[in-house]
Amino acid sequence: MSYIKGVVINKIKGFYYVVSEGHKYECKLRGLLKRRDRKDNCIVGDIVEFGEDGVITAVDKRTNMINRPLVANIDYLVIQFSAIDPQLDYERLNILMLNSYYYNIKPVVVINKVDLITAEEQAEIRYRLEYLKALDVDLFFISTYNNIGIDAIKDYIKDKITAFGGPSGVGKSSILNMVQNTKELEVGETSRKLKRGKHTTTGTTLLPLNNGGFVIDTPGFSSVEHPPVDSAVELISLFPEFTLDSLCRFANCIHINEPDCRVKEAVEAGSISKDRYDFFLRCYEKYKLERWN
Ligand code: GDP
Ligand code: ZN
């Protein structure tokens, strides 16, 4: 039997809808892969292998997974805000970044509604988000109204699985409508023979993009809450820019009150953003108060 590899885009009542090379297949999961009482045996986003009988025989190891909604292998979290209306919330942006690193998803920042601001105001936002460069996080200014930057985003998320996060009203639905494919996927050969592929879609779904790749149809899925970080060491690991070549005097330095701390020195020298460091301190205090005992 020959096997096909694809991505699970939707799951309904024991059927898995798998997309491979622009075709959609209705599959079932092999009994051996069904561990009892588990909701995550095979989930949306999984890369799977199935045979001509439509039976999934293997689920690839996941690069990441989120729980609400249950999705695996997300390449990008687009952290979306609008320049104004609603106002850009820098604290919330940092919390979303923290979640992104916690769940091991690469963050990308998108600022929408640039049609409503001046060039100076845009430069001001770019200045305040300068720290993204050190993190290697890309920044896009867009307007879904004036079709500014939309092609650049489309290009960026091509062949990837992308989720959108951010407050409501910033234009997430608007951009999802612009990037997703308008035509239905064709039903694959094997599913046709089996007379399958007819269920209507419900629940969490990956929406195919025109030129390959998917977006998650649940805009703003990502939590506005701080992720469940369990220690100072773990928190530090979610600030990639705190990993420096030169070492602090103490190997277990948490970069707060210790002498000869390279991170604090870098903040003073301006090579680590003061805004980011202050955000780190606020997180530390919050976790200490509410979670770490
Ligand atoms: P969501 O809540 O994030 O999904 O946001 P929506 O896509 O529903 O958009 C919220 C509001 O912002 C709507 O009234 C849109 O028409 C408006 N909007 C979306 N994109 C733009 C834009 O680029 N410029 C302006 N001025 N308004 C926009
Ligand atoms: Zn230190």
Side-chain angles (χ1 to χ4, degrees):
M1 184 147 53
S2 65
Y3 291 90
I4 301 175
K5 218 160 188 175
V7 183
V8 175
I9 61 158
N10 187 225
K11 178 175 164 180
I12 309 162
K13 294 183 183 139
F15 285 102
Y16 296 81
Y17 294 86
V18 182
V19 169
S20 177
E21 293 180 6
H23 288 73
K24 181 164 135 180
Y25 301 84
E26 190 177 73
C27 300
K28 296 217 107 183
L29 192 61
R30 185 181 179 184
L32 271 176
L33 296 174
K34 292 183 196 160
R35 287 161 302 169
R36 275 210 292 152
D37 301 324
R38 294 290 294 259
K39 282 204 165 98
D40 63 351
N41 289 323
C42 182
I43 67 178
V44 171
D46 268 332
I47 311 284
V48 298
E49 193 177 72
F50 62 94
E52 289 151 26
D53 55 359
V55 176
I56 294 170
T57 49
V59 178
D60 282 8
K61 192 173 176 325
R62 297 168 185 150
T63 56
N64 59 44
M65 176 173 125
I66 57 168
N67 284 307
R68 277 175 300 157
L70 194 57
V71 184
N73 300 319
I74 302 168
D75 293 295
Y76 295 137
L77 172 62
V78 169
I79 298 175
Q80 186 170 341
F81 283 86
S82 51
I84 53 168
D85 195 17
Q87 201 75 37
L88 209 172
D89 180 342
Y90 291 91
E91 184 73 4
R92 191 154 170 186
L93 192 154
N94 266 319
I95 296 171
L96 282 159
M97 297 259 298
L98 198 67
N99 274 282
S100 208
Y101 289 122
Y102 181 84
Y103 290 103
N104 194 28
I105 308 170
K106 185 174 166 53
V108 177
V109 176
V110 167
I111 309 295
N112 187 27
K113 307 196 189 181
V114 293
D115 53 287
L116 298 178
I117 57 167
T118 63
E120 289 75 45
E121 286 165 327
Q122 185 169 323
E124 163 77 19
I125 294 172
R126 195 179 283 283
Y127 177 74
R128 289 195 64 180
L129 295 178
E130 189 87 349
Y131 65 80
L132 294 175
K133 277 192 194 147
L135 294 168
D136 208 17
V137 172
D138 293 296
L139 171 64
F140 292 89
F141 286 94
I142 67 162
S143 165
T144 64
Y145 271 23
N146 294 357
N147 201 6
I148 298 167
I150 305 299
D151 285 343
I153 289 288
K154 279 187 181 168
D155 221 45
Y156 195 88
I157 66 178
K158 182 177 168 341
D159 294 331
K160 305 286 185 193
I161 297 179
T162 303
F164 286 75
S168 66
V170 301
K172 293 185 298 298
S173 317
S174 307
I175 193 167
L176 281 183
N177 284 332
M178 294 177 89
V179 298
Q180 69 180 271
N181 203 340
T182 38
K183 51 181 200 291
E184 277 276 310
L185 289 172
E186 269 182 58
V187 174
E189 180 91 28
T190 60
S191 290
R192 271 208 302 277
K193 274 192 228 141
L194 298 165
K195 298 216 169 30
R196 286 174 166 180
K198 295 223 175 69
H199 280 103
T200 8
T201 308
T202 57
T204 305
T205 307
L206 297 186
L207 302 171
L209 302 171
N210 277 316
N211 304 312
F214 303 89
V215 289
I216 297 172
D217 75 340
T218 342
F221 80 88
S222 58
S223 174
V224 292
E225 285 156 31
H226 289 64
V229 172
D230 282 326
S231 67
V233 172
E234 189 182 4
L235 180 63
I236 291 163
S237 77
L238 305 181
F239 288 78
E241 71 267 55
F242 291 6
T243 303
L244 302 170
D245 289 335
S246 54
L247 302 174
C248 301
R249 187 204 296 185
F250 301 106
N252 60 353
C253 186
I254 57 167
H255 318 315
I256 296 179
N257 290 317
E258 298 88 339
D260 289 328
C261 168
R262 304 296 165 238
V263 170
K264 279 194 294 175
E265 285 168 9
V267 174
E268 256 151 54
S271 57
I272 286 179
S273 148
K274 174 101 172 50
D275 287 349
R276 284 281 293 173
Y277 183 72
D278 289 344
F279 174 67
F280 164 72
L281 290 181
R282 285 196 293 280
C283 291
Y284 178 83
E285 290 303 328
K286 185 182 165 65
Y287 282 118
K288 222 170 63 166
L289 199 69
E290 296 174 10
R291 195 177 162 84
W292 307 335
N293 292 309

